[in-house]
Amino acid sequence: MTNTNPLPPTKLTLDADGHLGDHTLWTPAIAQHLADTLNIELTDIHYRILIQVRAFFDQYHHSPTTRPLIKYLSTSLADDEIDNAKLQRLFNTGLVARHINRLAGLPKPPNCL
């Protein structure tokens, strides 16, 4: 799923909204670089969520919006008891789908601000 020879974070190509230009270049280090813009230190649970969001993208060929994201995560990470409030706390934002997709190296979900 991840590229073993990523570009250094300073060489990343981001779109106007701060999303990775090429999702295949994503690595955990790039995720942390992007998380730094939100003052978040990624932990194991963050990475489990990001990997599952990338799995959603691989399966459905689009970035999930909030409701499908939460439904998918609550099923795929049932032991982590994922809900919207928990995602807001973990990712320090009310725009959970937007920022989780961004940190997962994926395009902005449709209809996101």
Side-chain angles (χ1 to χ4, degrees):
M1 180 182 329
T2 60
N3 185 332
T4 57
N5 295 314
L7 295 173
T10 57
K11 300 285 185 183
L12 292 176
T13 302
L14 303 176
D15 68 14
D17 295 313
H19 292 256
L20 195 58
D22 179 354
H23 74 279
T24 65
L25 298 176
W26 184 88
T27 66
I30 288 172
Q32 183 57 65
H33 176 74
L34 295 171
D36 290 344
T37 66
L38 298 172
N39 296 317
I40 299 171
E41 183 67 33
L42 298 178
T43 63
D44 288 342
I45 190 168
H46 290 98
Y47 286 113
R48 286 194 304 273
I49 290 167
L50 297 177
I51 288 167
Q52 287 304 310
V53 172
R54 292 182 61 80
F56 179 102
F57 184 86
D58 289 344
Q59 183 175 354
Y60 298 107
H61 310 290
H62 65 86
S63 300
T65 56
T66 302
R67 283 187 179 169
L69 169 68
I70 293 167
K71 184 176 180 178
Y72 187 83
L73 292 174
S74 67
T75 302
S76 62
L77 297 174
D79 291 344
D80 290 316
E81 300 177 4
I82 300 296
D83 62 19
N84 193 42
K86 185 170 187 172
L87 292 175
Q88 288 180 6
R89 282 190 310 275
L90 285 169
F91 291 92
N92 196 27
T93 182
L95 302 171
V96 289
R98 165 79 188 283
H99 289 292
I100 290 172
N101 279 289
R102 188 169 73 86
L103 298 183
L106 301 172
K108 183 170 79 171
N111 302 324
C112 271
L113 301 173

Tab-separated table of all heavy atoms in Angstrom, residues 71-97:
chain	number	residue	atom	x	y	z
A	71	LYS	N	-19.180	4.822	9.308
A	71	LYS	CA	-19.764	3.480	9.198
A	71	LYS	C	-18.680	2.451	8.876
A	71	LYS	O	-18.610	1.386	9.490
A	71	LYS	CB	-20.847	3.466	8.127
A	71	LYS	CG	-21.556	2.141	8.018
A	71	LYS	CD	-22.692	2.195	7.024
A	71	LYS	CE	-23.376	0.844	6.960
A	71	LYS	NZ	-24.513	0.847	6.059
A	72	TYR	N	-17.806	2.781	7.927
A	72	TYR	CA	-16.739	1.866	7.524
A	72	TYR	C	-15.772	1.621	8.692
A	72	TYR	O	-15.409	0.483	8.981
A	72	TYR	CB	-16.000	2.440	6.313
A	72	TYR	CG	-14.990	1.514	5.701
A	72	TYR	CD1	-15.383	0.542	4.793
A	72	TYR	CD2	-13.639	1.621	6.022
A	72	TYR	CE1	-14.452	-0.315	4.212
A	72	TYR	CE2	-12.711	0.776	5.449
A	72	TYR	CZ	-13.125	-0.193	4.541
A	72	TYR	OH	-12.199	-1.035	3.975
A	73	LEU	N	-15.378	2.690	9.363
A	73	LEU	CA	-14.431	2.554	10.478
A	73	LEU	C	-15.043	1.828	11.669
A	73	LEU	O	-14.357	1.043	12.333
A	73	LEU	CB	-13.908	3.925	10.917
A	73	LEU	CG	-13.018	4.655	9.920
A	73	LEU	CD1	-12.690	6.054	10.436
A	73	LEU	CD2	-11.751	3.868	9.627
A	74	SER	N	-16.316	2.065	11.935
A	74	SER	CA	-16.941	1.391	13.071
A	74	SER	C	-17.048	-0.112	12.833
A	74	SER	O	-17.056	-0.890	13.784
A	74	SER	CB	-18.306	1.996	13.385
A	74	SER	OG	-19.215	1.747	12.348
A	75	THR	N	-17.080	-0.517	11.574
A	75	THR	CA	-17.103	-1.939	11.232
A	75	THR	C	-15.692	-2.514	11.160
A	75	THR	O	-15.401	-3.545	11.767
A	75	THR	CB	-17.809	-2.155	9.878
A	75	THR	OG1	-19.129	-1.622	9.975
A	75	THR	CG2	-17.874	-3.613	9.510
A	76	SER	N	-14.812	-1.829	10.447
A	76	SER	CA	-13.463	-2.363	10.232
A	76	SER	C	-12.565	-2.226	11.458
A	76	SER	O	-11.593	-2.970	11.604
A	76	SER	CB	-12.807	-1.705	9.016
A	76	SER	OG	-12.663	-0.318	9.213
A	77	LEU	N	-12.873	-1.288	12.335
A	77	LEU	CA	-12.100	-1.091	13.570
A	77	LEU	C	-13.040	-1.165	14.778
A	77	LEU	O	-13.010	-0.296	15.659
A	77	LEU	CB	-11.380	0.266	13.543
A	77	LEU	CG	-10.336	0.468	12.449
A	77	LEU	CD1	-9.828	1.898	12.451
A	77	LEU	CD2	-9.180	-0.510	12.605
A	78	ALA	N	-13.848	-2.200	14.809
A	78	ALA	CA	-14.885	-2.324	15.851
A	78	ALA	C	-14.310	-2.232	17.264
A	78	ALA	O	-14.923	-1.640	18.153
A	78	ALA	CB	-15.649	-3.636	15.667
A	79	ASP	N	-13.132	-2.792	17.495
A	79	ASP	CA	-12.525	-2.762	18.829
A	79	ASP	C	-12.149	-1.348	19.276
A	79	ASP	O	-11.975	-1.094	20.465
A	79	ASP	CB	-11.291	-3.657	18.887
A	79	ASP	CG	-11.630	-5.131	18.787
A	79	ASP	OD1	-12.815	-5.498	18.972
A	79	ASP	OD2	-10.711	-5.930	18.515
A	80	ASP	N	-12.001	-0.423	18.321
A	80	ASP	CA	-11.620	0.951	18.651
A	80	ASP	C	-12.814	1.854	18.936
A	80	ASP	O	-12.640	3.014	19.296
A	80	ASP	CB	-10.772	1.551	17.522
A	80	ASP	CG	-9.404	0.913	17.445
A	80	ASP	OD1	-8.774	0.722	18.503
A	80	ASP	OD2	-8.951	0.597	16.324
A	81	GLU	N	-14.038	1.324	18.773
A	81	GLU	CA	-15.254	2.065	19.075
A	81	GLU	C	-15.246	3.468	18.449
A	81	GLU	O	-15.360	4.489	19.126
A	81	GLU	CB	-15.477	2.143	20.580
A	81	GLU	CG	-15.619	0.776	21.223
A	81	GLU	CD	-15.764	0.826	22.726
A	81	GLU	OE1	-15.842	1.924	23.313
A	81	GLU	OE2	-15.793	-0.274	23.327
A	82	ILE	N	-15.147	3.494	17.125
A	82	ILE	CA	-15.057	4.749	16.383
A	82	ILE	C	-16.437	5.395	16.248
A	82	ILE	O	-17.409	4.748	15.888
A	82	ILE	CB	-14.475	4.497	14.972
A	82	ILE	CG1	-13.082	3.885	15.045
A	82	ILE	CG2	-14.489	5.781	14.146
A	82	ILE	CD1	-12.019	4.754	15.667
A	83	ASP	N	-16.492	6.678	16.547
A	83	ASP	CA	-17.665	7.492	16.258
A	83	ASP	C	-17.174	8.893	15.911
A	83	ASP	O	-15.977	9.176	15.975
A	83	ASP	CB	-18.671	7.496	17.408
A	83	ASP	CG	-18.125	8.080	18.708
A	83	ASP	OD1	-17.116	8.814	18.692
A	83	ASP	OD2	-18.710	7.799	19.768
A	84	ASN	N	-18.091	9.758	15.507
A	84	ASN	CA	-17.704	11.090	15.054
A	84	ASN	C	-16.985	11.877	16.148
A	84	ASN	O	-15.977	12.531	15.887
A	84	ASN	CB	-18.934	11.854	14.550
A	84	ASN	CG	-18.545	13.108	13.793
A	84	ASN	OD1	-17.611	13.095	13.002
A	84	ASN	ND2	-19.270	14.183	14.029
A	85	ALA	N	-17.487	11.825	17.371
A	85	ALA	CA	-16.870	12.574	18.468
A	85	ALA	C	-15.435	12.104	18.715
A	85	ALA	O	-14.535	12.921	18.941
A	85	ALA	CB	-17.700	12.434	19.739
A	86	LYS	N	-15.212	10.802	18.654
A	86	LYS	CA	-13.865	10.277	18.861
A	86	LYS	C	-12.935	10.735	17.742
A	86	LYS	O	-11.795	11.131	17.993
A	86	LYS	CB	-13.892	8.751	18.934
A	86	LYS	CG	-12.541	8.149	19.276
A	86	LYS	CD	-12.656	6.672	19.569
A	86	LYS	CE	-11.340	6.117	20.085
A	86	LYS	NZ	-11.503	4.734	20.554
A	87	LEU	N	-13.423	10.719	16.502
A	87	LEU	CA	-12.604	11.189	15.383
A	87	LEU	C	-12.282	12.672	15.535
A	87	LEU	O	-11.157	13.093	15.257
A	87	LEU	CB	-13.303	10.923	14.051
A	87	LEU	CG	-13.448	9.456	13.652
A	87	LEU	CD1	-14.253	9.332	12.375
A	87	LEU	CD2	-12.092	8.780	13.508
A	88	GLN	N	-13.246	13.459	15.973
A	88	GLN	CA	-12.997	14.888	16.182
A	88	GLN	C	-11.910	15.107	17.225
A	88	GLN	O	-11.044	15.969	17.063
A	88	GLN	CB	-14.280	15.607	16.579
A	88	GLN	CG	-15.248	15.755	15.439
A	88	GLN	CD	-16.523	16.476	15.843
A	88	GLN	OE1	-16.662	16.982	16.961
A	88	GLN	NE2	-17.481	16.523	14.924
A	89	ARG	N	-11.954	14.322	18.309
A	89	ARG	CA	-10.924	14.452	19.353
A	89	ARG	C	-9.553	14.009	18.821
A	89	ARG	O	-8.549	14.691	19.035
A	89	ARG	CB	-11.293	13.625	20.578
A	89	ARG	CG	-12.338	14.237	21.461
A	89	ARG	CD	-12.481	13.495	22.788
A	89	ARG	NE	-12.640	12.053	22.660
A	89	ARG	CZ	-13.791	11.423	22.457
A	89	ARG	NH1	-14.912	12.116	22.332
A	89	ARG	NH2	-13.845	10.111	22.373
A	90	LEU	N	-9.526	12.860	18.170
A	90	LEU	CA	-8.250	12.315	17.690
A	90	LEU	C	-7.577	13.218	16.660
A	90	LEU	O	-6.356	13.371	16.652
A	90	LEU	CB	-8.446	10.931	17.068
A	90	LEU	CG	-8.664	9.782	18.029
A	90	LEU	CD1	-9.114	8.540	17.270
A	90	LEU	CD2	-7.376	9.490	18.796
A	91	PHE	N	-8.394	13.800	15.775
A	91	PHE	CA	-7.829	14.578	14.674
A	91	PHE	C	-7.969	16.079	14.868
A	91	PHE	O	-7.659	16.853	13.964
A	91	PHE	CB	-8.432	14.110	13.344
A	91	PHE	CG	-7.961	12.727	12.970
A	91	PHE	CD1	-8.669	11.615	13.344
A	91	PHE	CD2	-6.765	12.549	12.288
A	91	PHE	CE1	-8.223	10.330	13.033
A	91	PHE	CE2	-6.309	11.289	11.969
A	91	PHE	CZ	-7.037	10.171	12.344
A	92	ASN	N	-8.414	16.481	16.057
A	92	ASN	CA	-8.407	17.884	16.446
A	92	ASN	C	-9.142	18.778	15.444
A	92	ASN	O	-8.661	19.858	15.108
A	92	ASN	CB	-6.955	18.347	16.628
A	92	ASN	CG	-6.841	19.643	17.380
A	92	ASN	OD1	-7.697	19.984	18.181
A	92	ASN	ND2	-5.780	20.385	17.117
A	93	THR	N	-10.285	18.286	14.940
A	93	THR	CA	-11.014	19.060	13.947
A	93	THR	C	-12.471	18.620	13.877
A	93	THR	O	-12.797	17.478	14.187
A	93	THR	CB	-10.385	18.910	12.546
A	93	THR	OG1	-11.099	19.712	11.613
A	93	THR	CG2	-10.386	17.472	12.077
A	94	GLY	N	-13.342	19.524	13.449
A	94	GLY	CA	-14.724	19.188	13.172
A	94	GLY	C	-14.905	18.700	11.749
A	94	GLY	O	-15.947	18.169	11.390
A	95	LEU	N	-13.890	18.891	10.931
A	95	LEU	CA	-13.945	18.472	9.525
A	95	LEU	C	-13.258	17.120	9.382
A	95	LEU	O	-12.255	16.967	8.676
A	95	LEU	CB	-13.258	19.506	8.633
A	95	LEU	CG	-13.823	20.929	8.706
A	95	LEU	CD1	-12.937	21.899	7.947
A	95	LEU	CD2	-15.245	20.962	8.169
A	96	VAL	N	-13.795	16.102	10.045
A	96	VAL	CA	-13.092	14.823	10.139
A	96	VAL	C	-12.835	14.173	8.788
A	96	VAL	O	-11.709	13.753	8.523
A	96	VAL	CB	-13.786	13.832	11.099
A	96	VAL	CG1	-13.631	14.266	12.524
A	96	VAL	CG2	-15.227	13.613	10.759
A	97	ALA	N	-13.842	14.083	7.932
A	97	ALA	CA	-13.625	13.417	6.648
A	97	ALA	C	-12.562	14.147	5.837
A	97	ALA	O	-11.674	13.527	5.249
A	97	ALA	CB	-14.922	13.309	5.858
